[in-house]
């Protein structure tokens, strides 16, 4: 059985600041404060510095995103949870579901024809990690524990 994401969350409380939570991102400790290394630089940059205004952080982040990552922000896709089959019009009905390592998400590819033409969706893991998709429609009604994982 794979380790669930919820079992890997690490939390750090900043004195007088926000709590930082991470699963896989490194953290940076500086002057008694903790920052999430969002841009992977290992430094407290404008992207990583929660003390800066959101507008300044967002402007800095746009500069480090690849073109592929920026384009991905324009798309919305169904988030297919294999544990809850058929919740999405694009989901297979109990067949051809390929579970991810958590046993929750559907990692099967979908090729479909609709009134809008041919559609292709990669598995959920590829959609997030390779296509950088961050806007997902969840049509299932999962338990809170499954949603967190």
């Amino acid at each position: 059985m794979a380790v669930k994401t919820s079992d890997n969350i690490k939390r750090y409380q900043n004195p007088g600041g926000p709590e930082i939570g991470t699963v896989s991102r490194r953290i940076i400790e500086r002057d008694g404060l903790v920052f999430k290394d969002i841009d992977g630089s290992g430094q407290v940059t404008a992207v990583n510095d929660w003390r800066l205004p959101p507008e300044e952080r967002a402007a800095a982040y746009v500069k480090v995103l690849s073109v592929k990552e920026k384009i991905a922000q324009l798309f919305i896709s169904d988030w297919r949870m294999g544990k809850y089959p058929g919740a999405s019009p694009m989901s297979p009905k109990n067949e051809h579901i390929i579970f991810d390592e958590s046993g929750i998400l559907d990692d099967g590819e979908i090729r479909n024809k609709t009134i809008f033409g041919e559609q292709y969706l990669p598995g959920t893991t590829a959609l997030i990690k390779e296509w950088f998709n961050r806007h997902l429609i969840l049509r299932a009604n999962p338990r809170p524990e499954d949603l967190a994982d």
Side-chain angles (χ1 to χ4, degrees), residues 15 73-74 109 134:
Q73 302 305 305
L74 301 173
E109 295 182 351
R134 295 295 180 265

Side-chain angles (χ1 to χ4, degrees), residues 86-135:
S88 162
M90 290 287 286
S91 292
K93 310 294 185 232
N94 292 326
E95 54 194 50
H96 305 102
I97 294 173
I98 300 171
F99 287 99
D100 76 330
E101 64 183 23
S102 73
I104 296 173
L105 299 177
D106 181 0
D107 262 348
E109 295 182 351
I110 293 180
R111 294 182 186 278
N112 206 359
K113 286 188 179 182
T114 71
I115 61 170
F116 303 109
E118 291 187 28
Q119 294 183 327
Y120 166 73
L121 278 178
T124 304
T125 299
L127 188 69
I128 294 169
K129 291 185 176 180
E130 297 169 22
W131 287 29
F132 306 107
N133 197 301
R134 295 295 180 265
H135 304 284

Side-chain angles (χ1 to χ4, degrees), residues 12 14 18-29 34-54 56-66 69 73 132 134:
Y12 307 87
N14 281 295
E19 178 180 75
I20 303 295
T22 184
V23 173
S24 59
R25 297 267 185 199
R26 294 181 311 180
I27 58 138
I28 304 163
E29 294 184 65
V34 178
F35 304 86
K36 193 182 302 187
D37 191 8
I38 296 169
D39 62 6
S41 68
Q43 305 293 318
V44 180
T45 63
V47 173
N48 302 327
D49 194 343
W50 47 261
R51 299 169 296 183
L52 297 175
E56 189 175 336
R57 293 184 70 197
Y61 197 37
V62 167
K63 292 176 184 174
V64 300
L65 290 174
S66 70
E69 290 168 322
Q73 302 305 305
F132 306 107
R134 295 295 180 265

